[in-house]
Amino acid sequence: VGDKVMVLARSGLWQEVVNVPASQTFLIPEGMSFEEAAALLVNYITAYMILFDFGNLRPNQSVLIHMAAGGVGTAAIQLCKTVENVTIFGTASASKHDSLKESGVAHPIDYRTMDYAEEVRKISPKGVDIVLDPLGGSDTSKAFNLLKPMGKLITYGVANLLTGQKKNLMALAKTWWNQFSINALQLLHHNKAVCGYHLGYMDEEFELIGSVVAKLVNLYSQGKIKPKIDSVWPFDQVADAMRQMQEKKNVGKVILVPEAPKEESKKEEN
């Protein structure tokens, strides 16, 4: 009682009071702010398990990170930097490239004006060792084709379904039609791996998730990872917070708090 904790829950966290099982709570480490704690679990657990448990990331490998300025993207970049000599390709709009370079992305690619697969091939003709795919649809096929022999594609989302403020049924149908499909025999010939990841369906894996959180807290305490906060919004500005993401302006996490901290409001005025 009285401990400050981070919690994992599939939904229902945009509230002042939340009830979750004790097994889904983790102590906030010394020195970590509320905003950092809110930004840590979902994105860093996802990025860690994709890169290390599925991806088996090792020194001197290369990784393509889509939506590199988003929550999982920034977490994945930081985690890649904990392994020696990993080359990072990251897709994001041009306005975010300087920020990505500062954080360790060797090759930022503007997916809006360039074919990212072509850009990767120019620099690395054989492709990459690991692709993190939150896009789905035809991008998953492109990702598979970009893999080197023994490469790994980890798909963990279908952002291509979300093309605007409203669900677009045509986009939905197109993404569904273009979705990647491969059978076991084809995989055998390619010497590649395809993995699917969804943290929401790991509800019962307390020990597994707990061990990952312990590793992440340790990396945080060593100063090797630090959640990147784009902006903090009180509940009554939730529409603006959502717009920040929909318009793809955020670099890092968009955080909701019950009410605007008084100190932060003063800082912004100054």
Side-chain angles (χ1 to χ4, degrees):
V1 174
D3 284 339
K4 291 184 176 180
V5 294
M6 310 177 267
V7 305
L8 268 182
R10 272 209 214 179
S11 61
L13 293 183
W14 295 11
Q15 305 180 94
E16 291 171 330
V17 180
V18 176
N19 188 9
V20 296
S23 56
Q24 288 170 223
T25 63
F26 306 91
L27 282 172
I28 295 177
E30 201 67 37
M32 182 182 280
S33 69
F34 166 82
E35 289 79 10
E36 287 178 333
L40 185 84
L41 289 185
V42 171
N43 293 145
Y44 281 81
I45 291 172
T46 298
Y48 187 97
M49 296 186 83
I50 285 173
L51 284 170
F52 297 112
D53 294 316
F54 272 147
N56 192 24
L57 179 64
R58 297 194 300 282
N60 306 312
Q61 290 191 320
S62 53
V63 181
L64 171 59
I65 301 172
H66 286 296
M67 296 163 65
V72 175
T74 51
I77 291 164
Q78 290 179 13
L79 289 167
C80 282
K81 300 300 288 177
T82 67
V83 179
E84 200 179 346
N85 198 31
V86 170
T87 303
I88 306 171
F89 295 84
T91 66
S93 50
S95 62
K96 301 176 182 178
H97 286 194
D98 288 344
S99 170
L100 289 181
K101 279 182 179 170
E102 282 170 28
S103 65
V105 176
H107 308 291
I109 301 167
D110 183 0
Y111 65 94
R112 292 177 178 179
T113 59
M114 296 171 167
D115 181 324
Y116 64 82
E118 278 180 23
E119 295 303 308
V120 170
R121 292 264 185 222
K122 282 179 195 171
I123 297 155
S124 177
K126 280 191 167 183
V128 294
D129 296 291
I130 301 169
V131 179
L132 277 59
D133 170 37
L135 303 174
S138 58
D139 284 292
T140 308
S141 302
K142 283 174 82 167
F144 186 78
N145 292 328
L146 266 178
L147 291 177
K148 292 178 179 178
M150 299 302 292
K152 298 165 191 76
L153 158 64
I154 303 99
T155 184
Y156 66 99
V158 278
N160 282 333
L161 293 182
L162 301 171
T163 56
Q165 291 189 354
K166 294 181 180 174
K167 284 184 180 174
N168 182 328
L169 290 178
M170 282 299 290
L172 194 78
K174 188 178 174 187
T175 303
W176 180 258
W177 179 257
N178 289 328
Q179 72 176 331
F180 176 72
S181 179
I182 194 164
N183 63 44
L185 198 58
Q186 290 169 310
L187 272 180
L188 191 138
H189 296 154
H190 282 287
N191 288 306
K192 296 176 181 181
V194 180
C195 312
Y197 180 84
H198 194 310
L199 178 57
Y201 291 100
M202 294 241 197
D203 295 28
E204 303 301 314
E205 303 301 322
F206 308 128
E207 284 181 30
L208 179 59
I209 298 298
S211 70
V212 174
V213 174
K215 288 169 189 164
L216 292 172
V217 167
N218 190 30
L219 287 170
Y220 177 86
S221 302
Q222 292 174 42
K224 290 184 176 177
I225 62 171
K226 186 175 176 66
K228 191 175 179 73
I229 310 300
D230 172 78
S231 49
V232 180
W233 308 77
F235 281 3
D236 59 7
Q237 289 179 30
V238 64
D240 296 323
M242 292 300 291
R243 201 170 294 115
Q244 178 81 352
M245 291 194 296
Q246 279 177 337
E247 294 174 2
K248 299 186 177 177
K249 289 179 178 173
N250 61 305
V251 176
K253 288 297 285 179
V254 174
I255 300 291
L256 287 178
V257 293
E259 55 190 43
K262 285 170 188 170
E263 291 171 29
E264 190 145 321
S265 305
K266 284 174 191 168
K267 277 183 202 167
E268 282 169 10
E269 283 167 21
N270 296 337

PDB file of all heavy atoms in Angstrom, residues 17-49:
ATOM      1  N   VAL A  17      -9.220   6.756 -11.399  1.00  0.00           N
ATOM      2  CA  VAL A  17      -9.069   5.598 -10.507  1.00  0.00           C
ATOM      3  C   VAL A  17      -9.168   4.326 -11.349  1.00  0.00           C
ATOM      4  O   VAL A  17     -10.101   4.162 -12.136  1.00  0.00           O
ATOM      5  CB  VAL A  17     -10.158   5.588  -9.407  1.00  0.00           C
ATOM      6  CG1 VAL A  17      -9.973   4.367  -8.509  1.00  0.00           C
ATOM      7  CG2 VAL A  17     -10.094   6.862  -8.587  1.00  0.00           C
ATOM      8  N   VAL A  18      -8.173   3.440 -11.198  1.00  0.00           N
ATOM      9  CA  VAL A  18      -8.114   2.226 -12.006  1.00  0.00           C
ATOM     10  C   VAL A  18      -7.860   1.029 -11.098  1.00  0.00           C
ATOM     11  O   VAL A  18      -7.083   1.103 -10.150  1.00  0.00           O
ATOM     12  CB  VAL A  18      -6.962   2.332 -13.047  1.00  0.00           C
ATOM     13  CG1 VAL A  18      -6.837   1.041 -13.831  1.00  0.00           C
ATOM     14  CG2 VAL A  18      -7.198   3.495 -13.986  1.00  0.00           C
ATOM     15  N   ASN A  19      -8.537  -0.070 -11.392  1.00  0.00           N
ATOM     16  CA  ASN A  19      -8.385  -1.294 -10.608  1.00  0.00           C
ATOM     17  C   ASN A  19      -7.757  -2.366 -11.500  1.00  0.00           C
ATOM     18  O   ASN A  19      -8.333  -2.721 -12.527  1.00  0.00           O
ATOM     19  CB  ASN A  19      -9.777  -1.730 -10.123  1.00  0.00           C
ATOM     20  CG  ASN A  19      -9.697  -2.872  -9.134  1.00  0.00           C
ATOM     21  OD1 ASN A  19      -8.617  -3.236  -8.685  1.00  0.00           O
ATOM     22  ND2 ASN A  19     -10.841  -3.442  -8.809  1.00  0.00           N
ATOM     23  N   VAL A  20      -6.580  -2.850 -11.140  1.00  0.00           N
ATOM     24  CA  VAL A  20      -5.917  -3.898 -11.938  1.00  0.00           C
ATOM     25  C   VAL A  20      -5.392  -4.992 -11.004  1.00  0.00           C
ATOM     26  O   VAL A  20      -5.138  -4.736  -9.833  1.00  0.00           O
ATOM     27  CB  VAL A  20      -4.728  -3.343 -12.777  1.00  0.00           C
ATOM     28  CG1 VAL A  20      -5.209  -2.351 -13.819  1.00  0.00           C
ATOM     29  CG2 VAL A  20      -3.666  -2.731 -11.897  1.00  0.00           C
ATOM     30  N   PRO A  21      -5.224  -6.216 -11.522  1.00  0.00           N
ATOM     31  CA  PRO A  21      -4.648  -7.284 -10.689  1.00  0.00           C
ATOM     32  C   PRO A  21      -3.234  -6.919 -10.231  1.00  0.00           C
ATOM     33  O   PRO A  21      -2.477  -6.297 -10.991  1.00  0.00           O
ATOM     34  CB  PRO A  21      -4.602  -8.497 -11.632  1.00  0.00           C
ATOM     35  CG  PRO A  21      -5.572  -8.179 -12.722  1.00  0.00           C
ATOM     36  CD  PRO A  21      -5.554  -6.697 -12.867  1.00  0.00           C
ATOM     37  N   ALA A  22      -2.891  -7.303  -9.007  1.00  0.00           N
ATOM     38  CA  ALA A  22      -1.562  -6.993  -8.466  1.00  0.00           C
ATOM     39  C   ALA A  22      -0.451  -7.546  -9.354  1.00  0.00           C
ATOM     40  O   ALA A  22       0.631  -6.959  -9.454  1.00  0.00           O
ATOM     41  CB  ALA A  22      -1.434  -7.554  -7.050  1.00  0.00           C
ATOM     42  N   SER A  23      -0.738  -8.684 -10.027  1.00  0.00           N
ATOM     43  CA  SER A  23       0.284  -9.308 -10.876  1.00  0.00           C
ATOM     44  C   SER A  23       0.620  -8.461 -12.102  1.00  0.00           C
ATOM     45  O   SER A  23       1.612  -8.695 -12.775  1.00  0.00           O
ATOM     46  CB  SER A  23      -0.187 -10.692 -11.336  1.00  0.00           C
ATOM     47  OG  SER A  23      -1.432 -10.582 -11.998  1.00  0.00           O
ATOM     48  N   GLN A  24      -0.225  -7.453 -12.397  1.00  0.00           N
ATOM     49  CA  GLN A  24       0.030  -6.576 -13.537  1.00  0.00           C
ATOM     50  C   GLN A  24       0.608  -5.231 -13.103  1.00  0.00           C
ATOM     51  O   GLN A  24       0.567  -4.256 -13.839  1.00  0.00           O
ATOM     52  CB  GLN A  24      -1.264  -6.353 -14.332  1.00  0.00           C
ATOM     53  CG  GLN A  24      -1.686  -7.586 -15.123  1.00  0.00           C
ATOM     54  CD  GLN A  24      -3.085  -7.452 -15.709  1.00  0.00           C
ATOM     55  OE1 GLN A  24      -3.886  -8.388 -15.658  1.00  0.00           O
ATOM     56  NE2 GLN A  24      -3.400  -6.288 -16.263  1.00  0.00           N
ATOM     57  N   THR A  25       1.140  -5.192 -11.887  1.00  0.00           N
ATOM     58  CA  THR A  25       1.756  -3.958 -11.384  1.00  0.00           C
ATOM     59  C   THR A  25       3.248  -4.186 -11.158  1.00  0.00           C
ATOM     60  O   THR A  25       3.684  -5.284 -10.801  1.00  0.00           O
ATOM     61  CB  THR A  25       1.122  -3.504 -10.056  1.00  0.00           C
ATOM     62  OG1 THR A  25       1.358  -4.511  -9.059  1.00  0.00           O
ATOM     63  CG2 THR A  25      -0.369  -3.281 -10.214  1.00  0.00           C
ATOM     64  N   PHE A  26       4.015  -3.123 -11.366  1.00  0.00           N
ATOM     65  CA  PHE A  26       5.479  -3.196 -11.212  1.00  0.00           C
ATOM     66  C   PHE A  26       5.951  -1.925 -10.527  1.00  0.00           C
ATOM     67  O   PHE A  26       5.506  -0.826 -10.862  1.00  0.00           O
ATOM     68  CB  PHE A  26       6.155  -3.322 -12.590  1.00  0.00           C
ATOM     69  CG  PHE A  26       5.618  -4.476 -13.402  1.00  0.00           C
ATOM     70  CD1 PHE A  26       4.550  -4.295 -14.270  1.00  0.00           C
ATOM     71  CD2 PHE A  26       6.174  -5.746 -13.277  1.00  0.00           C
ATOM     72  CE1 PHE A  26       4.040  -5.352 -15.008  1.00  0.00           C
ATOM     73  CE2 PHE A  26       5.665  -6.811 -14.009  1.00  0.00           C
ATOM     74  CZ  PHE A  26       4.604  -6.618 -14.873  1.00  0.00           C
ATOM     75  N   LEU A  27       6.852  -2.059  -9.578  1.00  0.00           N
ATOM     76  CA  LEU A  27       7.344  -0.898  -8.833  1.00  0.00           C
ATOM     77  C   LEU A  27       8.037   0.095  -9.759  1.00  0.00           C
ATOM     78  O   LEU A  27       8.819  -0.289 -10.627  1.00  0.00           O
ATOM     79  CB  LEU A  27       8.335  -1.345  -7.752  1.00  0.00           C
ATOM     80  CG  LEU A  27       7.740  -1.957  -6.480  1.00  0.00           C
ATOM     81  CD1 LEU A  27       8.849  -2.508  -5.610  1.00  0.00           C
ATOM     82  CD2 LEU A  27       6.936  -0.905  -5.717  1.00  0.00           C
ATOM     83  N   ILE A  28       7.743   1.377  -9.567  1.00  0.00           N
ATOM     84  CA  ILE A  28       8.463   2.419 -10.301  1.00  0.00           C
ATOM     85  C   ILE A  28       9.838   2.565  -9.659  1.00  0.00           C
ATOM     86  O   ILE A  28       9.940   2.766  -8.444  1.00  0.00           O
ATOM     87  CB  ILE A  28       7.701   3.761 -10.238  1.00  0.00           C
ATOM     88  CG1 ILE A  28       6.361   3.645 -10.955  1.00  0.00           C
ATOM     89  CG2 ILE A  28       8.543   4.888 -10.841  1.00  0.00           C
ATOM     90  CD1 ILE A  28       5.503   4.898 -10.885  1.00  0.00           C
ATOM     91  N   PRO A  29      10.916   2.443 -10.448  1.00  0.00           N
ATOM     92  CA  PRO A  29      12.254   2.532  -9.852  1.00  0.00           C
ATOM     93  C   PRO A  29      12.586   3.941  -9.369  1.00  0.00           C
ATOM     94  O   PRO A  29      11.976   4.924  -9.802  1.00  0.00           O
ATOM     95  CB  PRO A  29      13.183   2.129 -11.002  1.00  0.00           C
ATOM     96  CG  PRO A  29      12.412   2.368 -12.242  1.00  0.00           C
ATOM     97  CD  PRO A  29      10.969   2.169 -11.888  1.00  0.00           C
ATOM     98  N   GLU A  30      13.545   4.007  -8.474  1.00  0.00           N
ATOM     99  CA  GLU A  30      14.026   5.276  -7.922  1.00  0.00           C
ATOM    100  C   GLU A  30      14.420   6.229  -9.054  1.00  0.00           C
ATOM    101  O   GLU A  30      15.102   5.844  -9.997  1.00  0.00           O
ATOM    102  CB  GLU A  30      15.258   4.989  -7.057  1.00  0.00           C
ATOM    103  CG  GLU A  30      15.570   6.054  -6.031  1.00  0.00           C
ATOM    104  CD  GLU A  30      14.514   6.155  -4.936  1.00  0.00           C
ATOM    105  OE1 GLU A  30      13.979   5.114  -4.513  1.00  0.00           O
ATOM    106  OE2 GLU A  30      14.243   7.287  -4.520  1.00  0.00           O
ATOM    107  N   GLY A  31      13.954   7.476  -8.959  1.00  0.00           N
ATOM    108  CA  GLY A  31      14.388   8.489  -9.924  1.00  0.00           C
ATOM    109  C   GLY A  31      13.549   8.563 -11.185  1.00  0.00           C
ATOM    110  O   GLY A  31      13.750   9.460 -12.005  1.00  0.00           O
ATOM    111  N   MET A  32      12.619   7.638 -11.375  1.00  0.00           N
ATOM    112  CA  MET A  32      11.788   7.659 -12.586  1.00  0.00           C
ATOM    113  C   MET A  32      10.545   8.511 -12.346  1.00  0.00           C
ATOM    114  O   MET A  32       9.865   8.353 -11.337  1.00  0.00           O
ATOM    115  CB  MET A  32      11.372   6.237 -12.975  1.00  0.00           C
ATOM    116  CG  MET A  32      10.553   6.189 -14.267  1.00  0.00           C
ATOM    117  SD  MET A  32      10.012   4.514 -14.717  1.00  0.00           S
ATOM    118  CE  MET A  32      11.487   3.863 -15.476  1.00  0.00           C
ATOM    119  N   SER A  33      10.258   9.423 -13.276  1.00  0.00           N
ATOM    120  CA  SER A  33       9.094  10.291 -13.131  1.00  0.00           C
ATOM    121  C   SER A  33       7.815   9.531 -13.479  1.00  0.00           C
ATOM    122  O   SER A  33       7.856   8.478 -14.116  1.00  0.00           O
ATOM    123  CB  SER A  33       9.232  11.507 -14.064  1.00  0.00           C
ATOM    124  OG  SER A  33       9.122  11.093 -15.421  1.00  0.00           O
ATOM    125  N   PHE A  34       6.676  10.124 -13.091  1.00  0.00           N
ATOM    126  CA  PHE A  34       5.382   9.522 -13.433  1.00  0.00           C
ATOM    127  C   PHE A  34       5.241   9.383 -14.949  1.00  0.00           C
ATOM    128  O   PHE A  34       4.809   8.355 -15.465  1.00  0.00           O
ATOM    129  CB  PHE A  34       4.235  10.378 -12.887  1.00  0.00           C
ATOM    130  CG  PHE A  34       2.894  10.012 -13.472  1.00  0.00           C
ATOM    131  CD1 PHE A  34       2.165   8.945 -12.959  1.00  0.00           C
ATOM    132  CD2 PHE A  34       2.375  10.701 -14.573  1.00  0.00           C
ATOM    133  CE1 PHE A  34       0.943   8.586 -13.524  1.00  0.00           C
ATOM    134  CE2 PHE A  34       1.164  10.348 -15.129  1.00  0.00           C
ATOM    135  CZ  PHE A  34       0.446   9.291 -14.609  1.00  0.00           C
ATOM    136  N   GLU A  35       5.626  10.462 -15.672  1.00  0.00           N
ATOM    137  CA  GLU A  35       5.467  10.449 -17.129  1.00  0.00           C
ATOM    138  C   GLU A  35       6.318   9.351 -17.761  1.00  0.00           C
ATOM    139  O   GLU A  35       5.880   8.656 -18.678  1.00  0.00           O
ATOM    140  CB  GLU A  35       5.853  11.821 -17.715  1.00  0.00           C
ATOM    141  CG  GLU A  35       4.867  12.925 -17.396  1.00  0.00           C
ATOM    142  CD  GLU A  35       5.023  13.495 -15.986  1.00  0.00           C
ATOM    143  OE1 GLU A  35       6.025  13.158 -15.312  1.00  0.00           O
ATOM    144  OE2 GLU A  35       4.144  14.252 -15.559  1.00  0.00           O
ATOM    145  N   GLU A  36       7.550   9.187 -17.291  1.00  0.00           N
ATOM    146  CA  GLU A  36       8.417   8.130 -17.816  1.00  0.00           C
ATOM    147  C   GLU A  36       7.837   6.753 -17.521  1.00  0.00           C
ATOM    148  O   GLU A  36       7.851   5.867 -18.377  1.00  0.00           O
ATOM    149  CB  GLU A  36       9.823   8.241 -17.204  1.00  0.00           C
ATOM    150  CG  GLU A  36      10.629   9.401 -17.736  1.00  0.00           C
ATOM    151  CD  GLU A  36      11.992   9.511 -17.078  1.00  0.00           C
ATOM    152  OE1 GLU A  36      12.143   9.075 -15.911  1.00  0.00           O
ATOM    153  OE2 GLU A  36      12.913  10.023 -17.715  1.00  0.00           O
ATOM    154  N   ALA A  37       7.300   6.599 -16.315  1.00  0.00           N
ATOM    155  CA  ALA A  37       6.717   5.308 -15.930  1.00  0.00           C
ATOM    156  C   ALA A  37       5.512   4.981 -16.814  1.00  0.00           C
ATOM    157  O   ALA A  37       5.328   3.844 -17.251  1.00  0.00           O
ATOM    158  CB  ALA A  37       6.299   5.329 -14.457  1.00  0.00           C
ATOM    159  N   ALA A  38       4.706   6.018 -17.115  1.00  0.00           N
ATOM    160  CA  ALA A  38       3.547   5.809 -17.984  1.00  0.00           C
ATOM    161  C   ALA A  38       3.977   5.422 -19.396  1.00  0.00           C
ATOM    162  O   ALA A  38       3.271   4.703 -20.095  1.00  0.00           O
ATOM    163  CB  ALA A  38       2.695   7.080 -18.024  1.00  0.00           C
ATOM    164  N   ALA A  39       5.154   5.895 -19.801  1.00  0.00           N
ATOM    165  CA  ALA A  39       5.641   5.657 -21.170  1.00  0.00           C
ATOM    166  C   ALA A  39       6.443   4.370 -21.304  1.00  0.00           C
ATOM    167  O   ALA A  39       6.741   3.944 -22.417  1.00  0.00           O
ATOM    168  CB  ALA A  39       6.506   6.834 -21.617  1.00  0.00           C
ATOM    169  N   LEU A  40       6.794   3.752 -20.200  1.00  0.00           N
ATOM    170  CA  LEU A  40       7.767   2.651 -20.266  1.00  0.00           C
ATOM    171  C   LEU A  40       7.192   1.306 -20.714  1.00  0.00           C
ATOM    172  O   LEU A  40       7.615   0.748 -21.727  1.00  0.00           O
ATOM    173  CB  LEU A  40       8.455   2.476 -18.898  1.00  0.00           C
ATOM    174  CG  LEU A  40       9.568   1.422 -18.916  1.00  0.00           C
ATOM    175  CD1 LEU A  40      10.882   2.016 -19.418  1.00  0.00           C
ATOM    176  CD2 LEU A  40       9.774   0.806 -17.540  1.00  0.00           C
ATOM    177  N   LEU A  41       6.229   0.795 -19.967  1.00  0.00           N
ATOM    178  CA  LEU A  41       5.915  -0.633 -20.073  1.00  0.00           C
ATOM    179  C   LEU A  41       5.527  -1.124 -21.461  1.00  0.00           C
ATOM    180  O   LEU A  41       6.201  -1.986 -22.034  1.00  0.00           O
ATOM    181  CB  LEU A  41       4.814  -1.014 -19.070  1.00  0.00           C
ATOM    182  CG  LEU A  41       5.233  -1.025 -17.597  1.00  0.00           C
ATOM    183  CD1 LEU A  41       4.079  -1.530 -16.734  1.00  0.00           C
ATOM    184  CD2 LEU A  41       6.459  -1.881 -17.359  1.00  0.00           C
ATOM    185  N   VAL A  42       4.441  -0.620 -22.020  1.00  0.00           N
ATOM    186  CA  VAL A  42       3.925  -1.192 -23.268  1.00  0.00           C
ATOM    187  C   VAL A  42       4.965  -1.119 -24.386  1.00  0.00           C
ATOM    188  O   VAL A  42       5.253  -2.105 -25.060  1.00  0.00           O
ATOM    189  CB  VAL A  42       2.615  -0.492 -23.693  1.00  0.00           C
ATOM    190  CG1 VAL A  42       2.200  -0.931 -25.090  1.00  0.00           C
ATOM    191  CG2 VAL A  42       1.509  -0.812 -22.700  1.00  0.00           C
ATOM    192  N   ASN A  43       5.550   0.066 -24.560  1.00  0.00           N
ATOM    193  CA  ASN A  43       6.479   0.246 -25.679  1.00  0.00           C
ATOM    194  C   ASN A  43       7.799  -0.491 -25.492  1.00  0.00           C
ATOM    195  O   ASN A  43       8.315  -1.098 -26.431  1.00  0.00           O
ATOM    196  CB  ASN A  43       6.745   1.734 -25.916  1.00  0.00           C
ATOM    197  CG  ASN A  43       5.500   2.456 -26.404  1.00  0.00           C
ATOM    198  OD1 ASN A  43       5.258   3.593 -26.075  1.00  0.00           O
ATOM    199  ND2 ASN A  43       4.679   1.772 -27.185  1.00  0.00           N
ATOM    200  N   TYR A  44       8.340  -0.426 -24.290  1.00  0.00           N
ATOM    201  CA  TYR A  44       9.659  -1.040 -24.076  1.00  0.00           C
ATOM    202  C   TYR A  44       9.575  -2.561 -23.969  1.00  0.00           C
ATOM    203  O   TYR A  44      10.475  -3.263 -24.428  1.00  0.00           O
ATOM    204  CB  TYR A  44      10.353  -0.437 -22.846  1.00  0.00           C
ATOM    205  CG  TYR A  44      10.985   0.902 -23.148  1.00  0.00           C
ATOM    206  CD1 TYR A  44      10.225   2.065 -23.166  1.00  0.00           C
ATOM    207  CD2 TYR A  44      12.342   1.012 -23.443  1.00  0.00           C
ATOM    208  CE1 TYR A  44      10.789   3.297 -23.465  1.00  0.00           C
ATOM    209  CE2 TYR A  44      12.926   2.231 -23.728  1.00  0.00           C
ATOM    210  CZ  TYR A  44      12.146   3.376 -23.749  1.00  0.00           C
ATOM    211  OH  TYR A  44      12.727   4.587 -24.058  1.00  0.00           O
ATOM    212  N   ILE A  45       8.503  -3.079 -23.376  1.00  0.00           N
ATOM    213  CA  ILE A  45       8.327  -4.546 -23.359  1.00  0.00           C
ATOM    214  C   ILE A  45       8.202  -5.038 -24.798  1.00  0.00           C
ATOM    215  O   ILE A  45       8.851  -6.013 -25.202  1.00  0.00           O
ATOM    216  CB  ILE A  45       7.075  -4.957 -22.545  1.00  0.00           C
ATOM    217  CG1 ILE A  45       7.275  -4.676 -21.062  1.00  0.00           C
ATOM    218  CG2 ILE A  45       6.769  -6.446 -22.758  1.00  0.00           C
ATOM    219  CD1 ILE A  45       6.011  -4.864 -20.224  1.00  0.00           C
ATOM    220  N   THR A  46       7.371  -4.353 -25.584  1.00  0.00           N
ATOM    221  CA  THR A  46       7.175  -4.734 -26.993  1.00  0.00           C
ATOM    222  C   THR A  46       8.502  -4.701 -27.742  1.00  0.00           C
ATOM    223  O   THR A  46       8.887  -5.680 -28.397  1.00  0.00           O
ATOM    224  CB  THR A  46       6.159  -3.791 -27.667  1.00  0.00           C
ATOM    225  OG1 THR A  46       4.899  -3.923 -27.007  1.00  0.00           O
ATOM    226  CG2 THR A  46       5.989  -4.110 -29.143  1.00  0.00           C
ATOM    227  N   ALA A  47       9.209  -3.580 -27.666  1.00  0.00           N
ATOM    228  CA  ALA A  47      10.471  -3.429 -28.408  1.00  0.00           C
ATOM    229  C   ALA A  47      11.503  -4.455 -27.936  1.00  0.00           C
ATOM    230  O   ALA A  47      12.220  -5.057 -28.749  1.00  0.00           O
ATOM    231  CB  ALA A  47      11.013  -2.013 -28.230  1.00  0.00           C
ATOM    232  N   TYR A  48      11.570  -4.686 -26.630  1.00  0.00           N
ATOM    233  CA  TYR A  48      12.563  -5.634 -26.090  1.00  0.00           C
ATOM    234  C   TYR A  48      12.296  -7.053 -26.580  1.00  0.00           C
ATOM    235  O   TYR A  48      13.201  -7.748 -27.062  1.00  0.00           O
ATOM    236  CB  TYR A  48      12.541  -5.604 -24.556  1.00  0.00           C
ATOM    237  CG  TYR A  48      13.664  -6.427 -23.951  1.00  0.00           C
ATOM    238  CD1 TYR A  48      14.847  -5.823 -23.548  1.00  0.00           C
ATOM    239  CD2 TYR A  48      13.557  -7.811 -23.794  1.00  0.00           C
ATOM    240  CE1 TYR A  48      15.899  -6.570 -23.012  1.00  0.00           C
ATOM    241  CE2 TYR A  48      14.589  -8.558 -23.268  1.00  0.00           C
ATOM    242  CZ  TYR A  48      15.752  -7.940 -22.876  1.00  0.00           C
ATOM    243  OH  TYR A  48      16.786  -8.691 -22.366  1.00  0.00           O
ATOM    244  N   MET A  49      11.046  -7.488 -26.481  1.00  0.00           N
ATOM    245  CA  MET A  49      10.730  -8.867 -26.849  1.00  0.00           C
ATOM    246  C   MET A  49      10.858  -9.090 -28.359  1.00  0.00           C
ATOM    247  O   MET A  49      11.296 -10.149 -28.807  1.00  0.00           O
ATOM    248  CB  MET A  49       9.340  -9.252 -26.333  1.00  0.00           C
ATOM    249  CG  MET A  49       9.265  -9.237 -24.824  1.00  0.00           C
ATOM    250  SD  MET A  49       7.692  -9.841 -24.158  1.00  0.00           S
ATOM    251  CE  MET A  49       7.982 -11.607 -24.177  1.00  0.00           C
TER     252      MET A  49
END
